Amino acid sequence: MTFEGNEINGVTFSAAKKTKVSVTHSKRLREVAEDDITFTGEDADGLLLPHNDTLVISLNILNFKIKRVLVALGSSTNIIQWRVLERDKLTGSIIPVTKLLVGFNLESVTTRREIMLPTNAEEVTKTTLFEVVDGNMGYNIILSRSWLHEMKVVPSIYHQLLKFLTLEEIKQIRGDQPASREMNAMSISSSKGKEPSK
């Protein structure tokens, strides 16, 4: 670390002394303000532990409940499959646009359409921009960081849970661990069937 004068990375020594971070690992009960979002051991009740599962939820779009929605913390783009839009007759608001998604399914994919759809999570509705993908990606929808930020969602993959604050209370969406395991098993099965590249 290098510094000049009384500053370290733009923070003065006097300010740095006042900054305090504490991490507690004890089991003591503490008071939690009503608007604090926390995860407890009870949030993991009913899960198959230990696990290495992705967070897969169901989400309402218009009047349709869409299952197999992957919450992808590493994704910067919301993605929906064309077949989901066709099946639920949601193709009326398609916007023709060409975009290149890099790193999708371990390759680059060009999308030619996008759509704005209202997503409803526990009665909180946000209009969300989705890139439309023609190919089969297993999941019906991939939700990105942008949706999480817009909703102000705090995810816990370990607890298989999303929590977010509304004006009235903290709401939550429970992950579908069996669906996550089914998708993982399908992914492993399909990768075993591929020939190794030479």
Side-chain angles (χ1 to χ4, degrees):
M1 180 184 309
T2 60
F3 59 92
E4 293 179 20
N6 292 330
E7 290 190 4
I8 301 175
N9 295 334
V11 178
T12 64
F13 284 127
S14 59
K17 288 179 198 169
K18 293 177 187 172
T19 304
K20 179 181 171 186
V21 176
S22 66
V23 178
T24 309
H25 293 286
S26 68
K27 291 189 177 184
R28 287 179 286 163
L29 294 176
R30 65 179 181 89
E31 272 190 45
V32 176
E34 287 183 18
D35 60 350
D36 281 352
I37 293 180
T38 59
F39 295 88
T40 66
E42 292 174 356
D43 287 326
D45 286 352
L47 294 177
L48 297 172
L49 296 172
H51 73 80
N52 191 25
D53 301 322
T54 56
L55 184 52
V56 177
I57 64 170
S58 294
L59 188 68
N60 292 322
I61 294 183
L62 294 173
N63 295 322
F64 301 97
K65 184 172 187 172
I66 311 292
K67 296 182 178 183
R68 293 197 339 255
V69 176
L70 174 66
V71 178
L73 304 180
S75 177
S76 60
T77 305
N78 299 306
I79 301 170
I80 190 166
Q81 286 202 61
W82 173 253
R83 66 176 172 76
V84 173
L85 297 174
E86 278 188 317
R87 180 190 68 208
D88 295 331
K89 298 181 180 27
L90 300 173
T91 57
S93 304
I94 293 285
I95 305 162
V97 65
T98 300
K99 289 191 180 174
L100 181 67
L101 301 181
V102 179
F104 180 73
N105 278 350
L106 303 177
E107 57 189 41
S108 297
V109 172
T110 301
T111 67
R112 290 181 169 58
R113 298 173 284 240
E114 60 187 23
I115 189 169
M116 297 286 287
L117 292 170
T119 58
N120 184 310
E122 296 298 315
E123 299 173 9
V124 176
T125 302
K126 296 286 182 187
T127 302
T128 305
L129 177 67
F130 290 95
E131 299 304 319
V132 181
V133 173
D134 287 322
N136 186 6
M137 64 180 182
Y139 298 101
N140 291 318
I141 290 176
I142 296 176
L143 289 176
S144 70
R145 291 186 306 269
S146 62
W147 184 84
L148 296 172
H149 293 174
E150 179 73 20
M151 289 286 295
K152 297 181 174 66
V153 165
V154 180
S156 173
I157 296 171
Y158 172 78
H159 295 94
Q160 292 285 292
L161 196 58
L162 297 173
K163 291 188 179 184
F164 56 98
L165 191 61
T166 66
L167 293 175
E168 299 84 30
E169 61 186 330
I170 294 173
K171 301 233 178 183
Q172 62 183 34
I173 301 171
R174 173 67 63 190
D176 186 346
Q177 193 179 31
S180 176
R181 291 186 168 212
E182 178 185 337
M183 295 305 296
N184 189 40
M186 287 170 48
S187 172
I188 290 171
S189 173
S190 66
S191 67
K192 285 181 180 176
K194 290 181 181 176
E195 290 288 324
S197 57
K198 296 180 182 179

